[in-house]
C-alpha cells in the first residue's frame, strides 16, 4: 500500500540517498535498519515530502503521492520525526487536537481516544509540551501522529534518548495499533531488539542505499549481520 | 490634591498605554504567528480610520462604521497576503521591504483620494472628574477596549481550531505541514486578521487620532518596537511591553516634557533589547 520508488535526494546539492526503493504492504510492520548517517532520516523526510525529491516518487495506495506534506498527511501518512518536534508552547491536549483538526477529524474525540491509548499523558494533559521529559515528548509525538488517523505510520528513531520503561510502552502500543487497527508501520531504528519485537521484515541501509532485504527470522539467526548493524 | 493628581496621571498613562496596545495588537498577531513584520501596518490603521470616517459622513452610525472598517481592511489584507506576502515566506527582510513599499503606495493613494488634511469626528463628550481634575471619557474607555481586544485575540488563538493551527505552524513549521496543516491558508487568514485588527484600531481611535494619510507613520514605529521587545510569546509580551513602554513614556511626559517621554520610550527599548536580544518573552513558557 506504501511504496518509495527510486528515491534520490538530499539537502541542497548534497545527495544523501540514491535510487532507494522499498514497499510496505497493508497492515505490515517493516524496520529500516542501519548505522548512524546512512540516510535513514533523509529517506523518511523524502517519504513525507519535507525534502524535495531529486528524482523518484512516493506511492500511497498505488497512487503517486502529492508533493505537499500536508496533503500526504491527509492521504493517511503519519510521521514521528527524530527529535520528536512537539509544538512546545501548546499543551498536550492542543498538540493532539490540532493534528486531528488539520485532517478534518474532531479534536476532542481524538484527545479522548489518545488518553485511553496513552494513560501516562493524562496527568500532563494541560501542561505545555515543551516542559515534558524526552520520553513523554516521544509518546506525545506518537500520539499526535496517530491523531492524524494514518494508514501508514513512519517512525524515525523512536527509542533515541527514551528510558527503557517508556520504550516498552511504545513498542506495546505500536504492536497493538498494527494488529488491531491494521496501521502499517515503517520504523527507522538502531535498537535491534525494539525492531525485532515489532517488525516482521527489514531493510538494511548502507551509504544512502538499500543493501539488503531480510525477514525477522533470518535477521535473528544472522549473528554476523547483527554485529555489523550494532557496530560491535 | 497630590493623590488626585497622581490618580489622574496614572489613569491617563494607562489610557496611553492602551492606545499603544490597540494600535499594536494586529502587528503582534502577524509577527507572532507568521514571523512577518508588516511595515504597512500603520497604513491599514489609516485605511480603517478613513473607512470609518467616510462611512459616518455617508450617515452610517459611528458604532456601525467600525465593523465595516474591519471587513474592508481584512479583505485588503487577504488580497495583499495572497498577491505579495505568500511569495516571500521565510524571507523576513524581503517582506519588510515589500510591505514598506506597500505602505508608501497606500499613503500616496490616500493623499490622492482624501488630500492631506481631513476633519476629525467629534469626541463623544463625557468626562470623569477626580478632585479638581477632569479626564476625557473616551480615551479612558480605550483601557477597556484594549483589554477586550487582548482577550479576543487570546481566545481566538487558544480556543479555536484555526488558532491552534496558526500557533503550530509558527512553532514548528515542518511538523505542522507533516501533520496536515495547510500553512498557506492559515497564513492568509492570520494576515487578514492582523490587518482587520489594525483597521479596528484605526476606526476605534478615530475620535482621538483624526484620519490623515500620514497617521500610520506615527503608530508603526512604536508598534514595531513594542512587538520586537515583546518577543515570541507575542500577546502577553506585547501587553506588558505596551504597558511598560507606553505607560512609562506617558508618565515621564506628564512630569517632564513630551520629548522626555519619547526619549524614555526609545531608551528603555534599547536597554531591553540589549538585555533580551530575542525579546523579553524569549524564555517564557506560555501559550500566547
Amino acid at each position: 500500500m506504501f511504496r518509495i520508488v527510486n528515491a534520490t535526494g538530499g539537502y541542497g546539492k548534497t545527495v544523501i540517498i540514491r535510487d532507494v526503493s522499498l514497499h510496505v504492504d497493508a497492515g505490515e510492520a517493516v524496520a529500516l535498519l542501519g548505522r548512524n548517517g546512512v540516510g535513514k532520516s533523509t529517506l523518511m523526510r523524502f517519504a513525507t515530502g519535507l525534502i524535495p525529491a531529486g528524482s523518484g516518487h512516493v506511492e500511497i495506495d498505488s497512487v503517486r503521492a502529492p508533493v505537499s506534506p500536508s496533503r500526504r498527511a491527509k492521504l493517511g501518512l503519519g510521521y514521528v520525526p527524530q527529535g520528536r518536534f512537539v509544538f512546545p508552547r501548546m499543551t498536550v491536549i492542543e498538540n493532539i487536537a490540532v493534528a486531528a483538526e488539520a485532517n478534518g477529524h474532531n479534536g476532542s474525540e481524538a484527545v479522548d481516544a489518545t488518553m485511553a491509548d496513552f494513560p501516562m499523558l493524562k496527568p500532563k494533559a494541560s501542561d505545555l509540551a515543551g516542559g515534558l521529559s524526552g520520553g513523554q515528548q516521544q509518546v506525545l509525538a506518537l500520539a499526535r501522529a496517530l491523531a492524524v488517523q494514518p494508514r501508514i505510520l513512519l517512525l524515525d528513531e523512536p527509542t533515541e534518548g527514551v528510558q527503557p520503561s517508556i520504550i516498552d510502552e511504545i513498542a506495546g502500543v505500536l504492536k497493538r495499533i498494527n494488529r488491531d487497527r491494521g496501521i502499517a508501520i515503517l520504523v527507522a531504528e538502531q535498537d535491534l531488539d525494539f525492531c525485532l519485537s515489532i517488525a516482521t521484515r527489514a531493510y538494511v541501509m548502507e551509504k544512502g542505499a538499500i543493501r539488503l532485504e531480510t525477514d525477522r527470522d533470518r535477521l535473528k539467526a544472522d549473528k554476523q549481520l547483527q554485529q555489523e548493524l550494532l557496530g560491535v | 490634591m497630590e493623590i488626585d493628581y497622581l490618580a489622574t496621571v496614572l489613569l491617563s498613562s494607562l489610557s496611553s498605554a492602551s492606545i499603544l496596545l490597540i494600535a499594536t495588537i494586529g502587528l503582534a498577531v502577524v509577527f507572532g504567528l507568521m514571523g512577518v513584520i508588516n511595515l504597512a501596518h500603520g497604513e491599514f490603521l489609516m485605511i480603517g480610520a478613513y473607512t470609518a470616517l467616510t462611512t459616518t459622513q455617508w450617515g452610517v452610525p459611528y458604532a456601525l462604521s467600525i465593523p465595516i472598517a474591519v471587513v474592508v481592511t481584512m479583505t485588503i489584507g487577504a488580497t495583499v497576503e495572497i498577491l505579495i506576502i505568500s511569495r516571500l515566506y521565510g524571507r523576513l527582510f524581503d517582506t519588510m521591504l515589500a510591505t514598506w513599499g506597500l505602505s508608501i503606495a497606500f499613503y500616496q493613494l490616500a493623499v490622492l483620494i482624501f488630500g492631506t488634511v481631513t476633519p476629525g469626528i467629534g469626541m463623544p463628550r463625557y468626562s470623569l472628574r477626580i478632585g479638581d481634575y477632569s479626564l476625557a471619557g473616551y480615551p479612558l474607555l480605550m483601557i477597556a477596549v484594549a483589554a477586550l481586544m487582548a482577550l479576543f485575540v487570546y481566545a481566538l488563538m487558544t480556543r479555536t481550531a484555526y488558532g491552534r493551527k496558526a500557533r503550530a505552524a509558527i512553532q514548528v513549521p515542518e511538523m505542522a505541514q507533516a501533520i496536515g496543516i495547510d500553512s498557506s491558508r492559515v497564513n492568509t487568514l492570520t494576515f487578514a486578521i492582523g490587518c482587520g485588527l489594525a483597521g479596528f484600531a484605526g476606526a476605534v481611535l478615530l475620535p482621538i487620532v483624526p484620519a490623515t494619510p500620514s497617521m500610520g507613520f506615527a503608530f508603526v514605529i512604536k508598534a514595531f518596537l513594542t512587538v520586537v521587545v515583546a518577543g515570541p510569546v507575542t500577546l502577553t509580551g506585547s501587553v506588558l511591553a505596551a504597558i511598560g513602554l507606553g505607560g512609562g513614556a506617558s508618565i515621564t511626559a506628564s512630569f517632564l516634557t513630551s520629548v522626555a517621554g519619547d526619549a524614555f520610550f526609545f531608551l528603555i527599548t534599547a536597554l531591553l533589547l540589549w538585555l533580551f536580544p530575542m525579546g523579553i518573552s524569549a524564555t517564557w513558557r506560555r501559550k500566547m
Side-chain angles (χ1 to χ4, degrees):
Chain A
M1 67 138 318
F2 177 76
R3 196 174 276 280
I4 298 174
V5 185
N6 302 119
T8 300
Y11 301 91
K13 288 205 168 105
T14 316
V15 176
I16 296 176
I17 49 170
R18 278 196 183 78
D19 209 21
V20 177
S21 296
L22 61 75
H23 67 95
V24 181
D25 295 333
E28 196 186 16
V30 177
L32 185 62
L33 302 168
R35 295 208 207 176
N36 254 333
V38 295
K40 302 192 296 294
S41 290
T42 309
L43 184 60
M44 287 293 190
R45 290 168 62 81
F46 182 98
T48 55
L50 287 173
I51 54 169
S55 64
H57 66 272
V58 172
E59 287 174 13
I60 301 172
D61 281 338
S62 312
V63 179
R64 198 182 264 246
V67 173
S68 120
S70 68
R71 289 178 56 200
R72 286 189 187 180
K74 290 186 174 74
L75 286 177
L77 185 69
Y79 175 52
V80 181
Q82 182 176 24
R84 336 191 212 290
F85 292 101
V86 294
F87 304 116
R89 286 192 174 102
M90 294 171 70
T91 64
V92 168
I93 288 178
E94 287 177 323
N95 266 273
I96 295 158
V98 74
E101 286 157 354
N103 298 281
H105 310 308
N106 182 301
S108 55
E109 279 172 18
V111 171
D112 291 345
T114 301
M115 293 304 163
D117 280 344
F118 303 94
M120 64 172 289
L121 289 178
K122 243 184 221 167
K124 299 283 174 189
S126 303
D127 290 9
L128 294 187
L132 302 183
S133 74
Q136 290 163 340
Q137 287 190 4
Q138 188 66 61
V139 171
L140 177 57
L142 172 58
R144 177 180 63 181
L146 289 176
V148 168
Q149 299 190 8
R151 284 175 304 141
I152 164 87
L153 184 62
L154 309 181
L155 298 109
D156 196 352
E157 305 270 354
T159 68
E160 190 189 42
V162 175
Q163 65 191 76
S165 65
I166 295 185
I167 293 180
D168 291 345
E169 174 147 356
I170 291 174
V173 168
L174 290 179
K175 266 185 277 191
R176 206 167 62 231
I177 59 159
N178 178 243
R179 191 187 55 221
D180 299 348
R181 298 181 209 166
I183 298 175
I185 292 173
L186 178 64
V187 54
E189 256 302 341
Q190 303 197 55
D191 182 336
L192 198 58
D193 289 337
F194 180 83
C195 281
L196 289 173
S197 75
I198 301 166
T200 53
R201 196 159 62 84
Y203 293 95
V204 178
M205 273 187 89
E206 198 175 76
K207 290 180 190 160
I210 302 274
R211 194 184 110 192
L212 65 90
E213 183 190 339
T214 180
D215 60 31
R216 173 155 54 189
D217 298 333
R218 266 190 290 170
L219 191 57
K220 268 184 179 161
D222 192 341
K223 297 291 178 208
Q224 195 192 344
L225 177 61
Q226 282 186 25
Q227 267 192 352
E228 273 179 50
L229 284 171
L230 294 167
V232 186
Chain B
M1 183 241 163
E2 282 304 308
I3 294 287
D4 292 349
Y5 181 63
L6 218 60
T8 312
V9 168
L10 275 181
L11 267 181
S12 66
S13 298
L14 193 56
S15 141
S16 300
S18 302
I19 291 168
L20 176 63
L21 185 62
I22 291 170
T24 302
I25 281 187
L27 190 71
V29 164
V30 169
F31 181 57
L33 294 166
M34 289 173 70
V36 165
I37 295 270
N38 175 19
L39 285 182
H41 177 74
E43 279 57 44
F44 279 97
L45 216 120
M46 181 261 292
I47 294 169
Y50 271 114
T51 307
L53 179 67
T54 309
T55 45
T56 45
Q57 283 170 345
W58 290 344
V60 176
Y62 173 57
L64 207 66
S65 75
I66 297 177
I68 295 174
V70 172
V71 171
V72 168
T73 45
M74 278 188 84
T75 311
I76 299 175
T79 314
V80 166
E81 205 281 337
I82 293 168
L83 292 181
I84 301 173
I85 311 292
S86 65
R87 293 163 208 280
L88 301 171
Y89 286 157
R91 291 154 63 180
L92 181 67
F93 290 105
D94 294 351
T95 42
M96 285 175 79
L97 268 182
T99 52
W100 185 47
L102 192 67
S103 81
I104 296 170
F106 280 154
Y107 166 74
Q108 285 300 337
L109 210 60
V111 171
L112 286 176
I113 298 174
F114 299 104
T116 49
V117 185
T118 33
I121 70 168
M123 196 179 315
R125 289 183 190 285
Y126 39 83
S127 56
L128 178 73
R129 292 199 65 82
I130 300 175
D132 297 336
Y133 302 93
S134 161
L135 284 170
Y138 197 78
L140 289 182
L141 186 64
M142 292 304 107
I143 301 173
V145 171
L148 285 177
M149 257 178 116
L151 280 177
F152 168 77
V153 170
Y154 188 82
L156 184 68
M157 295 308 164
T158 57
R159 299 256 189 277
T160 68
Y162 151 73
R164 285 186 282 271
K165 287 181 199 170
R167 283 159 61 219
I170 187 73
Q171 289 180 20
V172 193
E174 281 201 338
M175 273 318 293
Q177 289 181 43
I179 61 163
I181 295 172
D182 183 355
S183 309
S184 62
R185 269 174 61 186
V186 172
N187 281 341
T188 304
L189 189 54
T190 303
F191 198 81
I193 288 171
C195 293
L197 288 167
F200 174 83
V204 82
L205 294 176
L206 187 59
I208 305 171
V209 186
T212 60
S214 63
M215 67 185 290
F217 299 136
F219 279 111
V220 79
I221 295 170
K222 285 188 175 177
F224 171 64
L225 291 176
T226 306
V227 167
V228 173
V229 166
V233 185
T234 329
L235 189 63
T236 321
S238 296
V239 170
L240 290 181
I243 291 173
L245 294 171
S250 175
I251 290 175
T252 313
S254 48
F255 285 112
L256 300 167
T257 63
S258 63
V259 176
D262 280 346
F264 172 92
F265 191 104
F266 293 114
L267 279 176
I268 298 298
T269 299
L271 183 71
L272 284 173
L273 286 178
W274 180 61
L275 290 172
F276 306 98
M278 304 306 289
I280 54 173
S281 65
T283 59
W284 296 357
R285 289 208 181 282
R286 283 189 61 83
K287 285 188 195 172
M288 264 303 279

